[in-house]
Amino acid sequence: MESTFYYELRSGAQKNWLLLDLVRNRFGRLRSPDRSSAGDSLKSAKAATSFLWLPSCVSGEILEIFFGMAAIYSLYIINKSGGLIYYKDYGSAGRMDTNDSLRVASLWHSMHAISQQLSPVSGCSGIELLQADTFDLHCFQSLTGTKFFVVCEPGAQHMESLLKFVYELYTDYVLKNPFYEMEMPIRCELFDINLTQAVQKDRVAFLGR
Amino acid sequence: MAPVAPRSGDAIFANVERVNAELFTLTYGAIVRQLLTDLEEVEEVNKQLDQMGYNIGIRLVDEFLAKSNVSRCVDFRETTDVIAKVGFKMFLGVTASVTNWDADGTCCSIVLEDNPLVDFVELPDTCQGLYYCNILSGVIRGALDMVSMKTEVTWIRDVLRGDDVFELQVKLLKQVPEEYPYKDDE
């Protein structure tokens, strides 16, 4: 472990080892003076970063890889007919190729629709949260039928407000772009930039807890 | 997470970025003028303005929903109320009122006393058939279309034609049920 930086985000989480490799590959030798002092809970996230011996220019990116991006695995936007119009993954966990992401999108669209019909209460607006052993899926559907969902680590907080914010970004930087065609895949740079910032901001909130 | 309380039109209006009203008014005037030059027929211009408004409306509705936090309206009455009180305030900075409901609650009038689009406008004799603000009716139609309400929006009164206020009649034609499949097999 001499040449590596280890921080266990959640006990037993395999993905951290993957991230570890990612960082090691990207930045070469990084060292932590004392592995044990990194702690094993979220609470010490701040402490864990503060003692790290790192050039300040790279620490931001490492933080992003380790903390912010670890909380959110991927983000999807699907249009009202179930087509995937935006997909972005963060970090190495849960990464998917294009076909798989399209499949997830249409699968989720159908499941969402079925859940509305199966629901015992009337006026159900579909699944909002799917909890699995290794991930949580938070979904937000706008009244116009566009669905936004994030796949994140189990127990990640504040995802509803993040999705709400992504919706606002979508209205600002996608729908207001005169060259964006409705219901088509989103290729808007401004949206990408602002989305990345939003996810980073989420990271800051995450560190602050 | 507790549902977020709907925001008032004033609150949103205070928070969004705004442009100079004159720039807005003059830009709109230039568009209408150009359309008149290009299309020559007043009727065609009305149609085109309506179509432009529709295209704006189908995109604008999402911004409205995202920023106002309004939840699903229970009936058409509430919908028009929200348009008049929150929608107009948020995007035009004016408040409208809703009147003249018919018996079965599917047709009403939105009355605008103040309309920034017409600040400097006088209709010449050659353009008497022009609905100068027809873009607004298109916006409403487009926005409601996206939340599954087919409507017909027409101008009843127009200050530019000598009336005292602007009056838009909104008529609910049909409410498309939001159920799957969306007529896939047709």
Side-chain angles (χ1 to χ4, degrees):
Chain A
M1 289 304 288
E2 170 62 38
S3 65
T4 55
F5 162 54
Y6 171 72
Y7 177 69
E8 197 173 71
L9 208 56
R10 234 160 228 276
S11 52
Q14 195 66 44
K15 61 167 188 296
N16 294 318
W17 288 102
L18 298 171
L19 286 173
L20 175 73
D21 284 341
L22 192 79
V23 172
R24 194 162 42 185
N25 292 341
R26 200 181 287 191
F27 298 108
R29 286 167 65 93
L30 301 169
R31 53 185 289 273
S32 153
D34 178 6
R35 184 190 144 185
S36 65
S37 67
D40 57 0
S41 76
L42 286 172
K43 272 179 286 181
S44 53
K46 263 185 179 159
T49 55
S50 60
F51 71 78
L52 258 182
W53 182 82
L54 290 172
S56 56
C57 56
V58 296
S59 60
E61 197 168 355
I62 290 181
L63 280 177
E64 183 173 309
I65 294 164
F66 266 74
F67 303 110
M69 303 310 183
I72 298 168
Y73 297 157
S74 47
L75 174 95
Y76 297 75
I77 303 178
I78 46 187
N79 66 16
K80 63 175 78 174
S81 28
L84 182 66
I85 55 171
Y86 191 80
Y87 169 70
K88 192 156 178 69
D89 59 36
Y90 299 96
S92 57
R95 178 166 287 171
M96 265 181 287
D97 65 29
T98 318
N99 280 335
D100 283 339
S101 58
L102 284 167
R103 217 167 281 138
V104 168
S106 52
L107 196 64
W108 181 255
H109 179 73
S110 324
M111 273 174 57
H112 196 270
I114 293 168
S115 75
Q116 275 174 313
Q117 310 229 327
L118 285 181
S119 165
V121 291
S122 63
C124 169
S125 56
I127 315 177
E128 286 173 2
L129 169 62
L130 173 82
Q131 289 183 302
D133 286 345
T134 51
F135 67 90
D136 279 4
L137 191 157
H138 292 259
C139 178
F140 166 75
Q141 183 177 28
S142 75
L143 289 174
T144 49
T146 313
K147 278 189 270 295
F148 301 78
F149 65 94
V150 286
V151 180
C152 56
E153 72 171 316
Q157 301 287 303
H158 309 300
M159 288 300 136
E160 290 84 358
S161 47
L162 177 77
L163 286 171
K164 195 86 206 327
F165 190 67
V166 174
Y167 182 36
E168 280 187 37
L169 291 179
Y170 166 77
T171 62
D172 277 342
Y173 297 103
V174 178
L175 294 180
K176 282 187 198 168
N177 179 353
F179 297 103
Y180 170 72
E181 277 185 59
M182 299 282 285
E183 316 288 326
M184 296 306 274
I186 299 168
R187 289 198 186 83
C188 305
E189 204 181 331
L190 277 174
F191 179 64
D192 277 332
I193 293 168
N194 284 281
L195 187 64
T196 309
Q197 278 175 0
V199 175
Q200 276 178 2
K201 224 181 264 169
D202 189 69
R203 172 202 90 201
V204 173
F206 182 76
L207 275 175
R209 285 195 294 278
Chain B
M1 194 178 74
V4 198
R7 296 165 73 195
S8 75
D10 289 298
I12 310 162
F13 187 65
N15 278 327
V16 290
E17 277 186 57
R18 278 156 284 167
V19 295
N20 185 299
E22 255 179 57
L23 173 71
F24 173 67
T25 310
L26 295 177
T27 309
Y28 184 70
I31 291 173
V32 177
R33 195 74 184 75
Q34 188 63 42
L35 283 175
L36 278 166
T37 317
D38 290 349
L39 300 168
E40 290 164 7
E41 301 276 330
V42 169
E43 243 343 277
E44 281 302 309
V45 176
N46 286 340
K47 242 186 252 170
Q48 195 61 36
L49 282 173
D50 182 73
Q51 186 56 41
M52 286 163 65
Y54 181 86
N55 293 340
I56 295 174
I58 58 176
R59 291 163 178 249
L60 205 66
V61 65
D62 269 307
E63 182 182 9
F64 172 72
L65 294 170
K67 298 203 171 146
S68 67
N69 292 327
V70 296
S71 47
R72 191 178 292 270
C73 294
V74 288
D75 56 12
F76 191 55
R77 263 173 204 275
E78 193 186 343
T79 309
T80 48
D81 224 42
V82 168
I83 293 173
K85 299 273 152 34
V86 188
F88 271 98
K89 184 74 202 178
M90 179 172 164
F91 292 112
L92 275 188
V94 297
T95 328
S97 52
V98 185
T99 51
N100 296 343
W101 278 102
D102 68 348
D104 47 355
T106 56
C107 182
C108 68
S109 289
I110 295 180
V111 177
L112 272 176
E113 299 200 0
D114 188 18
N115 182 351
L117 284 179
V118 297
D119 279 350
F120 317 110
V121 182
E122 293 168 36
L123 276 192
D125 292 339
T126 49
C127 300
Q128 283 307 311
L130 179 71
Y131 290 108
Y132 186 81
C133 302
N134 219 24
I135 202 158
L136 293 183
S137 55
V139 170
I140 296 177
R141 188 167 64 87
L144 289 178
D145 207 16
M146 294 310 276
V147 284
S148 349
M149 277 176 262
K150 296 270 176 244
T151 48
E152 192 181 83
V153 186
T154 41
W155 289 98
I156 303 280
R157 281 188 285 173
D158 189 331
V159 173
L160 295 180
R161 297 172 170 213
D163 299 313
D164 47 348
V165 287
F166 287 95
E167 181 176 343
L168 268 170
Q169 189 183 58
V170 185
K171 192 173 183 184
L172 180 66
L173 299 178
K174 86 175 168 183
Q175 204 145 5
V176 189
E178 289 176 47
E179 274 172 16
Y180 298 96
Y182 287 126
K183 295 177 185 164
D184 275 346
D185 32 64
E186 271 177 24

